[in-house]
Amino acid sequence: MNSVTSFTRLKSVSGPNRHSTGGRGKRKSILVSGGAGFLGSRLCGRYLEYGCRVICLDNLSTGRIGNLSHFMEDPNFSFVLHDVVDPIKIDSQIDYIFNMACPASPPKYQSDPIQTMKTNLYGAFNLLDLAGRAKARILQASTSEVYGDPEVSPQPEGYQGNVNTVGPRSCYDEGKRAAETIFHEHRECLGIDLRIARIFNAYGPGMDPEDGRVVSNFINQALAGKPITIYGDGSQTRSFCYLEDMVDGLIALMHGPATSFEPMNIGNPNEFTVAELAALVLEKIPSGSKIVHVDLPTDDPKQRRPDICRAQKHLGWFPRVNLDQGLDQTIDYFRAEAEGRHQSVPLMVR
Ligand SMILES: NC(=O)c1ccc[n+]([C@@H]2O[C@H](COP(=O)([O-])OP(=O)(O)OC[C@H]3O[C@@H](n4cnc5c(N)ncnc54)[C@H](O)[C@@H]3O)[C@@H](O)[C@H]2O)c1
């Protein structure tokens, strides 16, 4: 599926109501908090392609203004420099809100754990307040990290997780868990129209080369001919979802049927060990990099694989891009970044 077909589906599932983005009605307005980040900037781009108005709200803590440079001249795009920890006062029409604001990379969210907690908690309250005032539908970017170091695999949404409340990852994991509760209670008590996406490891063009996540680390280490650092013995697993598939899933969830308000896993169920990922990257970038093993970080999950039956059943969504194809696109992007040829528009593989 490409962007055009996903918009067709977006229109067809939303029907002739105020949530339709197309047709003869008023142009729809989308607010993306965290819109300067990896996933948020692609969401901004998609909705601009659909002809919507897009407001990106970001404090630029991990986001890059370069991710937005190709929208800045678009009259339908506006940027608001703001921290979601503080109340949000926007009076213009808003129909849909994506709450993407929060660093996703462990080194980044661990660098200021109190700010990470505040972003997740105060940010949830402030964006839900905004959604209530604007009568907008809101989607929360939650995470597979709510499952912690899971004892079951694959992880279905009903699994309640195995999370340390006081470890180095807790500010993120527990912050996201509490945010889900805050969202849930706003639907129960105040009738806010909302969706919760549990996102599993996304990768692709647009990632920050300094991001510190495994895909960007391995590719950039290999491109530079530096050692590839594997945490532990590399037997831990991850399931990598390509950017465009992830954004398709988030958009399908936002515009999907009301039954999809339950938390929904969005990710690619194909599971790889970290050692397999390193081998694949080295096969694609034969720069002579050696593999070195370093200590496994505290609370690093041993396995990660989404059960996506709920998304398949309610949204008809599933990922289409395999790791081999997705890595080729991502390597091209990082190679261009390393050579100073910034590619702000992610490449499509479909
Ligand atoms: N990318 C993934 O694999 C993944 C996995 C699970 C969950 N998620 C969630 O998806 C969302 C986006 O992830 P991403 O990979 O694009 O991360 P990212 O770090 O690239 O983007 C996050 C954006 O939020 C902004 N931000 C952070 N704190 C903020 C604050 N207090 N106020 C305003 N803006 C703030 C940053 O500047 C950045 O632009 C995050 O909420 C993350 O937790 C991502």
Side-chain angles (χ1 to χ4, degrees):
M1 185 175 55
N2 58 28
S3 325
V4 177
T5 52
S6 80
F7 182 41
T8 308
R9 179 176 64 189
L10 184 155
K11 284 197 289 186
S12 67
V13 295
S14 56
N17 57 30
R18 64 185 293 279
H19 287 297
S20 170
T21 58
R24 275 165 281 152
K26 208 169 167 190
R27 189 188 293 276
K28 296 298 178 189
S29 290
I30 319 294
L31 183 137
V32 184
S33 71
F38 167 51
L39 296 178
S41 58
R42 191 64 192 115
L43 279 168
C44 291
R46 281 286 191 91
Y47 279 98
L48 288 169
E49 288 164 22
Y50 301 156
C52 298
R53 277 201 193 86
V54 173
I55 303 167
C56 167
L57 184 147
D58 205 295
N59 70 353
L60 296 180
S61 54
T62 57
R64 296 183 296 165
I65 206 76
N67 287 341
L68 308 171
S69 54
H70 50 298
F71 315 141
M72 286 300 189
E73 301 298 313
D74 190 323
N76 286 323
F77 180 75
S78 49
F79 177 75
V80 180
L81 183 64
H82 186 82
D83 194 310
V84 297
V85 168
D86 300 320
I88 303 163
K89 295 186 187 71
I90 294 180
D91 294 328
S92 57
Q93 172 205 341
I94 300 170
D95 300 291
Y96 301 98
I97 299 172
F98 286 88
N99 181 23
M100 310 302 290
C102 182
S105 137
K108 303 253 166 118
Y109 69 65
Q110 289 171 8
S111 71
D112 190 348
I114 291 177
Q115 169 70 5
T116 301
M117 281 301 271
K118 284 183 177 172
T119 295
N120 281 314
L121 304 189
Y122 301 169
F125 280 112
N126 287 329
L127 283 149
L128 283 159
D129 280 352
L130 179 67
R133 278 182 272 123
K135 297 191 172 36
R137 180 178 295 170
I138 180 166
L139 181 146
Q140 163 68 356
S142 189
T143 170
S144 57
E145 299 298 327
V146 299
Y147 302 121
D149 187 6
E151 296 133 318
V152 301
S153 189
Q155 295 87 53
E157 289 87 347
Y159 176 57
Q160 293 179 5
N162 176 32
V163 183
N164 182 359
T165 59
V166 290
R169 302 174 76 97
S170 308
C171 59
Y172 184 78
D173 300 8
E174 291 291 342
K176 289 284 187 181
R177 283 171 71 92
E180 284 198 10
T181 310
I182 294 167
F183 268 71
H184 172 74
E185 294 305 346
H186 276 69
R187 179 171 54 77
E188 294 297 300
C189 303
L190 301 175
I192 302 290
D193 183 10
L194 60 89
R195 306 285 189 267
I196 298 173
R198 289 184 180 157
I199 298 172
F200 282 67
N201 294 71
Y203 73 102
M207 290 184 95
D208 182 349
E210 305 296 323
D211 171 278
R213 281 179 271 185
V214 65
V215 174
S216 47
N217 275 357
F218 285 2
I219 294 176
N220 285 299
Q221 288 166 339
L223 285 175
K226 292 182 178 163
I228 295 214
T229 47
I230 292 185
Y231 298 140
D233 64 4
S235 63
Q236 68 275 33
T237 67
R238 297 292 183 266
S239 302
F240 302 103
C241 187
Y242 188 66
L243 171 67
E244 300 295 335
D245 281 334
M246 177 56 65
V247 169
D248 282 345
L250 297 175
I251 291 174
L253 179 59
M254 175 63 104
H255 301 279
T259 52
S260 55
F261 63 71
E262 301 279 359
M264 198 169 289
N265 289 339
I266 305 286
N268 190 320
N270 291 330
E271 188 178 20
F272 294 84
T273 66
V274 165
E276 285 170 338
L277 175 71
L280 192 54
V281 168
L282 282 177
E283 196 183 303
K284 290 177 180 295
I285 310 172
S287 59
S289 289
K290 300 274 176 284
I291 288 180
V292 297
H293 293 267
V294 296
D295 288 346
L296 201 60
T298 307
D299 296 333
D300 197 54
K302 286 184 263 318
Q303 50 188 356
R304 238 332 149 251
R305 182 183 173 203
D307 177 330
I308 60 165
C309 292
R310 192 176 276 180
Q312 282 184 292
K313 180 175 168 205
H314 292 290
L315 309 177
W317 172 86
F318 55 92
R320 316 239 171 181
V321 180
N322 65 34
L323 186 61
D324 190 53
Q325 295 168 299
L327 277 182
D328 285 343
Q329 298 294 318
T330 310
I331 289 168
D332 284 350
Y333 158 79
F334 277 127
R335 193 171 270 129
E337 286 277 305
E339 291 166 3
R341 296 180 284 116
H342 182 65
Q343 291 181 343
S344 47
V345 182
L347 298 164
M348 302 291 292
V349 292
R350 288 159 292 164

